[in-house]
Amino acid sequence: MSTTHEAGWAHAPGALRGPSWLGAPTDVNELVATLWSSTAHKDESGDLVIGGMAVADLVAEHNTPAYVLDEDDFKARALAFKEAFEGADVYYAGKSFLCTAVARWIAELGLCLDVCSDGELTVALRGGVEPERIGYHGNNKTLTELRRAVSLGVGRIVVDSFAEIERVASVAAETGMPARVMVRVTAGVEAHTHEFIATAHEDQKFGFSISSGDALEAARRVVASEGVDLLGLHSHIGSQIFDTSGFEVAAKRVLALHAQIASELGVAMPEMDLGGGFGIAYTTQDDPKPAAELAAGMREIVHQECRGLGIEAPRLSIEPGRAIAGPSTCTVYTVGTVKPVTLDGGAARLYISVDGGMSDNIRTALYDADYSATIASRRSDAPPTLARVVGKHCEAGDIVVRDEFLPSDVRPGDLLAVPATGAYCRSMASNYNHALRPPVIAVKDGRARVIVRRETVDDLLATDVG
Ligand code: LLP
């Protein structure tokens, strides 16, 4: 390790620079506002405050690691989608994060809910979501799941295979209840972040291909099935998307099929769903569009296409998950160890180990996702140094934040907070190494409420029957 620079080893010649998008901050204490929920700020002593609560006070009561959810931020984003898409339906994608409190907020705010398992359906009902405001997804729903969904009068079941069309029809006959379905189609568009690929075929498990004719055939079979109503077509092109041109290509292909079904099968479908996938800012690399801009763009595409095809525009629906839940929440950890590791060439990387890791945020390991972090419990006057925040699991890939400038005096006992962890972190959390999954604490107007409690050893042992 080189210590030849007065500001510390990380400033020595040959020190690590980090990725090109990550600049060293002028003040390492400052939050990058676009990455944090709307009420998050730091007070004079450097304490992170969210929903009027100092994170250090929350930790004193609830310990770490913990997810801290800014309730006003979550609700404002849900409402922004609802208002921007007025005249359309917004189905919050529960897979991003769902618990009874969140389901209740979604119901109270007047949004609909997208579920994809019996467990999610159970939570939705427990939160008071009306069955007719629920959309049910999944490429392999069981007969039992379909029976429950149809018997409850779930608003839409998104069918994904020919076998499922038969199953839904048999359940409709058995229960005497009508099944309302959408046909999930693959439009040959795969979108990720700033790029999309338009191809004839998609080599993946979801949906019926439009180009192969399967999607039209699926619609034909639904129409021919007694007790099954065809509401429309559904397309979901990917996640963490910023460029709306992928939606445009998908909407054109879906609407062309919509018009073909009207002319060939004589069925005017009332609805169309363009799925979710709207991107959020995890780091300064990301520049998401506000909901109003997305809505204006999508409406324009749909109306222009429908005019061209000479058909009436179906009622649009969308399914944002990440864009509502993601920015609302940060994860708070306690630093346990700090270790400079010398690399080839003599530069060193500061490894900061925290008391969670890939069990509460698998996204870094699984998708190479980038995150940021800040020191949450004090001000530091130390210069910034390039650090890597890692967890406590027995795996070298257990990384929470791959690259971040943090004060070079970070030490055991400091609190670190990682923003934008509201989507697909708690919902994909695991008990790896028998870790106890962290609580979700909702903060609002200076009050904190645990909406998902921390797991206990008894919870872990409850399923271990010995
Ligand atoms: N609708 C459908 C049919 C979906 O499959 C998904 C996400 C959504 C809506 C919501 O997408 P969102 O707006 O949240 O991007 N675990 C991955 C994301 C998987 C998304 C699966 N489907 C991650 O952590 O990035």
Side-chain angles (χ1 to χ4, degrees), residues 93 95-96 114 137 184 234 236 238-240 275-278 282 319-323 363 367 423-424 428:
K95 69 206 82 184
S96 61
D114 148 19
H137 271 285
R184 175 139 178 197
H234 183 290
H236 171 77
S239 271
Q240 187 61 355
F278 313 109
Y282 286 104
E319 296 170 336
R322 185 190 320 264
R363 297 193 70 262
Y367 310 120
Y424 304 108
M428 296 205 299

Side-chain angles (χ1 to χ4, degrees), residues 279-345:
I280 65 165
Y282 286 104
T283 66
T284 51
Q285 298 168 95
D286 306 321
D287 187 16
K289 287 193 169 65
E293 209 175 303
L294 290 169
M298 284 173 100
R299 270 184 219 283
E300 176 55 26
I301 296 163
V302 171
H303 283 104
Q304 200 178 319
E305 275 310 293
C306 288
R307 260 198 310 277
L309 291 163
I311 56 171
E312 205 177 308
R315 185 175 174 92
L316 179 65
S317 50
I318 55 157
E319 296 170 336
R322 185 190 320 264
I324 292 175
S328 71
T329 298
C330 69
T331 312
V332 183
Y333 302 100
T334 303
V335 173
T337 69
V338 178
K339 185 196 284 181
V341 174
T342 308
L343 310 179
D344 290 348

Side-chain angles (χ1 to χ4, degrees), residues 193-260:
T193 310
H194 297 285
E195 291 154 28
F196 80 95
I197 319 167
T199 57
H201 300 283
E202 273 182 6
D203 189 3
Q204 48 102 344
K205 69 176 183 173
F206 291 111
F208 294 96
S209 152
I210 294 180
S211 64
S212 73
D214 280 357
L216 178 61
E217 177 58 21
R220 187 175 285 123
R221 293 196 197 177
V222 170
V223 170
S225 303
E226 195 121 343
V228 186
D229 298 334
L230 179 59
L231 290 181
L233 303 176
H234 183 290
S235 152
H236 171 77
I237 58 171
S239 271
Q240 187 61 355
I241 303 167
F242 297 100
D243 180 353
T244 48
S245 45
F247 288 108
E248 185 168 344
V249 174
K252 283 186 179 164
R253 293 181 178 177
V254 174
L255 283 165
L257 177 62
H258 185 101
Q260 190 184 2

